[in-house]
Amino acid sequence: MRFSFGQELRLEQRQILTQRMIQSMEILQLSALQLDERIDVELEKNPVLELSTDIPDSGNSDEVLPNESADYDREMPDSTVGMDSSIIQPADKTDGSDDGQEQHYEHEPEMTFDSESSGIREEFQTADDFAQNYTDTIDELPARSQNWLEEQENRRNDVFANAASPPQTLQEYLTEQLNWFDLSPEMQKMTERVIYNIDANGYFPYELDDFLGEERTDEEKTLAEKALELVRKLDPPGVGAKNLKDCLLLQVAVGNPLGEVIALLIQNHLEDISCNRLPQIVRATGESFETIQEAIGELKHLNPRPAAGFDTETEAFKIAVTVTPDVTVERDEEGRYIVRLEEGKSRGLSINPYYEKMKKRKGADKETSEFVAKNVGAARWLIEAIEQRRMTLLKVSQAIVNYQTAFFENGPQALKPLKMQQIADTVGIHITTVSRACNDKWMLTPQGVFPFSKFFSSAVASSNGGESVAQDAVRLKLKEIIAKEDKSAPYNDDAIVKLLADSGIKVARRTVVKYRDQMNIPNSAKRKEW
């Protein structure tokens, strides 16, 4: 290989994403809650942005969306997010684009004064001189009304009042119970040491010799044994157990007529119970079917994980996440399904007129002019990105609703196969834009609240040569067949394949197994009831 210096002329074409395009794509991917959080961050960071709380009700707008693709490098005509087109009607689309609005942002008219306005000019000059001489004592931000200040204070108070208290940990719960006992300081300290070494399942899986270390004494080991014994008596039942069997045995109530049978099942037949091998258990124990079934019924009420429901140091307590729908589907008077966007704070986002005037004003110092121009431009970019997100999300969601009308009429069993490419072709945008628009978005429908991904499903061939069936519809049919089967003689996977074929759904046996596993439905042997 020869290395040398030289010059060459090369022609190539590259696609470069501008900062505005990147911001638009980021905004498009945000859910309603994430967008509100983003707006809060921008309001704190950019002083020219303001959020109006006095927003007129948009009502039922009849505005039709322009028939245009979501071009993320296009200038939007207004500097505020639209108010009256939050509802899209599934009507014929018309071209409403206006390219001439581009000059609105690039060449704004400057504020000038004629000879008759010398008094106004002097007032502006006086204000400028005052601001320059008393920069430490003057705040150029517009004055806030008393109502605005009270509203901000109420919002802060609501945040503190509605903040959820941290959930109690298992260790805290167990330590509180130690107050019921009259423990010596040494015993209290050793018991707390045992408590804070309980794992996320509620077990104490250590040997005491390993737990105490090589420098342990006999007195210390005796104290640890008593401490562990005390912990195993605390609530919840089963805490401090060494393993699963020990945990279940601790929960068998003393004096239970079936206590001996339950303990025997725990010690020797947990695997047989999981595989539903009741005849084998009956032969091994010599007990009757009825006794074994009753003992298994009580065994199922025991808790294999005593720490479940607590916030532990190793496993955070899982709190159900509140879902805020981004789009609401409603039915109009003509029976058509229309979509309405839940806009949240984005409806009242705008640029403060004070800074708009400051940007046009002559005579300001260079640093101030650059600061105002930079922030006004950033604010416009943000508002335009939010507007573009609104338009794209409305188009995509309406296209989904138009295609899946049967779902809203008849429920999940009527869901049709749908790919994102079909929506992209319908709306006239790229498939990646559809993916971003559907990412982490939720839709409130007459059938419930569903993620956008719910409406996209692969097709399963029909056995009679008819229309293909969505995978979710196949899962629902499979679940329905198993729910109606005779539990004393449940269907095996081959029988389910035949029953699905009789219903017009052609699937392989491995597909039935896959769908059954996805829905956590056991096989026929484990579903059998004796």
Side-chain angles (χ1 to χ4, degrees):
M1 179 181 293
R2 184 167 60 92
F3 295 93
S4 62
F5 292 99
Q7 291 182 344
E8 64 175 1
L9 183 62
R10 182 171 57 186
L11 181 63
E12 63 179 12
Q13 186 176 11
R14 293 183 181 179
Q15 184 178 10
I16 301 176
L17 294 179
T18 64
Q19 186 63 31
R20 293 185 66 180
M21 296 175 66
I22 295 175
Q23 184 185 47
S24 296
M25 290 186 291
E26 291 176 351
I27 295 295
L28 180 61
Q29 293 183 99
L30 300 179
S31 64
L33 289 177
Q34 292 170 340
L35 181 60
D36 286 347
E37 294 176 358
R38 177 68 177 269
I39 291 175
D40 289 336
V41 172
E42 295 293 337
L43 285 171
E44 292 186 5
K45 184 171 62 175
N46 193 336
V48 309
L49 281 172
E50 65 177 6
L51 187 64
S52 174
T53 57
D54 185 15
I55 305 172
D57 188 9
S58 59
N60 295 327
S61 173
D62 294 328
E63 179 180 350
V64 181
L65 285 176
N67 185 16
E68 59 186 5
S69 62
D71 182 4
Y72 290 101
D73 199 27
R74 180 177 60 84
E75 293 281 358
M76 299 304 298
D78 298 322
S79 62
T80 57
V81 175
M83 304 298 180
D84 298 330
S85 58
S86 61
I87 299 179
I88 176 174
Q89 303 284 352
D92 296 335
K93 302 175 182 179
T94 58
D95 188 2
S97 61
D98 186 4
D99 298 334
Q101 296 291 341
E102 182 77 22
Q103 300 177 354
H104 177 72
Y105 303 126
E106 302 297 337
H107 304 288
E108 294 185 348
E110 298 180 349
M111 183 178 293
T112 58
F113 303 97
D114 53 21
S115 57
E116 298 179 358
S117 305
S118 57
I120 299 177
R121 180 182 304 189
E122 293 177 358
E123 291 179 3
F124 272 99
Q125 185 63 37
T126 303
D128 285 340
D129 295 341
F130 185 82
Q132 294 176 4
N133 296 330
Y134 300 95
T135 55
D136 297 334
T137 59
I138 186 171
D139 184 4
E140 291 196 3
L141 290 176
R144 303 298 186 181
S145 65
Q146 185 63 28
N147 292 335
W148 185 90
L149 295 174
E150 292 178 357
E151 181 181 354
Q152 296 301 314
E153 182 66 23
N154 292 335
R155 287 183 179 180
R156 285 191 291 268
N157 293 336
D158 290 342
V159 170
F160 288 112
N162 297 326
S165 59
Q168 188 180 38
T169 65
L170 176 64
Q171 283 73 19
E172 293 172 347
Y173 180 62
L174 295 174
T175 304
E176 285 181 359
Q177 298 178 55
L178 298 182
N179 297 326
W180 304 343
F181 304 92
D182 185 15
L183 303 177
S184 64
E186 295 78 9
M187 185 64 174
Q188 178 82 18
K189 183 177 179 180
M190 179 60 71
T191 307
E192 291 181 357
R193 182 179 173 185
V194 171
I195 287 174
Y196 280 91
N197 280 275
I198 290 177
D199 65 12
N201 293 317
Y203 301 162
F204 184 80
Y206 312 104
E207 296 291 342
L208 287 180
D209 292 339
D210 299 332
F211 172 68
L212 296 174
E214 296 180 355
E215 299 180 357
R216 64 186 179 279
T217 62
D218 293 339
E219 293 79 7
E220 191 177 18
K221 184 175 181 180
T222 302
L223 189 64
E225 290 174 350
K226 294 180 180 180
L228 180 58
E229 183 180 357
L230 174 61
V231 171
R232 289 161 64 94
K233 294 179 181 179
L234 300 178
D235 187 71
V239 68
K242 186 175 182 60
N243 50 40
L244 174 61
K245 289 184 179 181
D246 189 24
C247 175
L248 297 177
L249 288 172
L250 285 175
Q251 299 178 57
V252 179
V254 178
N256 189 334
L258 295 174
E260 294 183 1
V261 179
I262 296 174
L264 185 60
L265 295 178
I266 293 172
Q267 292 172 348
N268 303 322
H269 299 286
L270 286 180
E271 184 177 354
D272 294 332
I273 293 174
S274 65
C275 296
N276 200 25
R277 294 195 287 258
L278 265 65
Q280 183 175 336
I281 299 175
V282 170
R283 289 194 298 268
T285 60
E287 301 289 343
S288 64
F289 254 99
E290 291 75 13
T291 301
I292 295 299
Q293 287 179 330
E294 187 177 356
I296 291 176
E298 293 193 18
L299 179 59
K300 290 180 178 179
H301 288 86
L302 304 182
N303 185 7
R305 296 183 68 249
F310 289 92
D311 179 21
T312 64
E313 294 181 356
T314 56
E315 181 180 341
F317 179 68
K318 298 179 180 179
I319 303 176
V321 179
T322 302
V323 173
T324 301
D326 300 86
V327 170
T328 300
V329 179
E330 301 172 342
R331 197 167 188 174
D332 61 9
E333 298 177 354
E334 300 179 2
R336 300 176 303 174
Y337 288 99
I338 59 175
V339 296
R340 177 171 55 83
L341 185 65
E342 301 294 339
E343 296 181 283
K345 296 181 179 180
S346 64
R347 293 185 61 197
L349 193 64
S350 61
I351 298 177
N352 193 310
Y354 175 83
Y355 292 100
E356 288 277 17
K357 295 178 181 179
M358 181 182 294
K359 180 174 178 290
K360 302 172 185 177
R361 190 175 62 193
K362 289 183 176 181
D365 61 278
K366 181 179 179 181
E367 184 178 355
T368 302
S369 300
E370 291 178 352
F371 174 80
V372 173
K374 178 182 177 181
N375 284 279
V376 169
R380 283 202 178 117
W381 286 7
L382 176 65
I383 292 174
E384 291 164 13
I386 294 175
E387 173 68 8
Q388 193 65 56
R389 172 190 180 273
R390 185 184 67 82
M391 301 285 286
T392 303
L393 192 54
L394 283 174
K395 291 178 182 180
V396 170
S397 56
Q398 185 63 58
I400 294 174
V401 169
N402 292 343
Y403 191 88
Q404 298 288 9
T405 302
F407 170 86
F408 304 107
E409 295 283 353
N410 305 317
Q413 66 274 8
L415 193 68
K416 297 180 181 179
L418 179 61
K419 296 182 179 180
M420 288 190 178
Q421 186 62 56
Q422 296 174 250
I423 299 299
D425 295 339
T426 302
V427 180
I429 57 180
H430 197 270
I431 185 174
T432 57
T433 303
V434 177
S435 178
R436 293 188 181 97
C438 298
N439 178 57
D440 200 22
K441 305 294 193 306
W442 292 78
M443 183 181 295
L444 176 59
T445 73
Q447 299 291 339
V449 181
F450 299 97
F452 273 46
S453 58
K454 170 74 174 180
F455 304 99
F456 297 96
S457 179
S458 300
V460 176
S462 176
S463 60
N464 54 16
E467 187 176 353
S468 299
V469 184
Q471 289 183 355
D472 286 352
V474 178
R475 293 188 183 96
L476 289 174
K477 186 63 179 178
L478 172 61
K479 192 174 182 180
E480 179 184 349
I481 291 174
I482 293 177
K484 294 181 179 180
E485 69 183 359
D486 183 5
K487 298 304 179 183
S488 61
Y491 297 123
N492 57 27
D493 295 332
D494 292 325
I496 294 176
V497 170
K498 295 179 181 179
L499 291 173
L500 289 173
D502 295 340
S503 302
I505 302 174
K506 182 180 180 181
V507 293
R509 181 181 180 277
R510 62 178 179 274
T511 304
V512 171
V513 175
K514 181 179 72 172
Y515 290 171
R516 183 168 52 75
D517 291 341
Q518 290 175 352
M519 295 184 290
N520 296 321
I521 298 176
N523 57 30
S524 58
K526 294 183 179 180
R527 298 200 307 271
K528 182 178 176 62
E529 295 182 358
W530 302 91

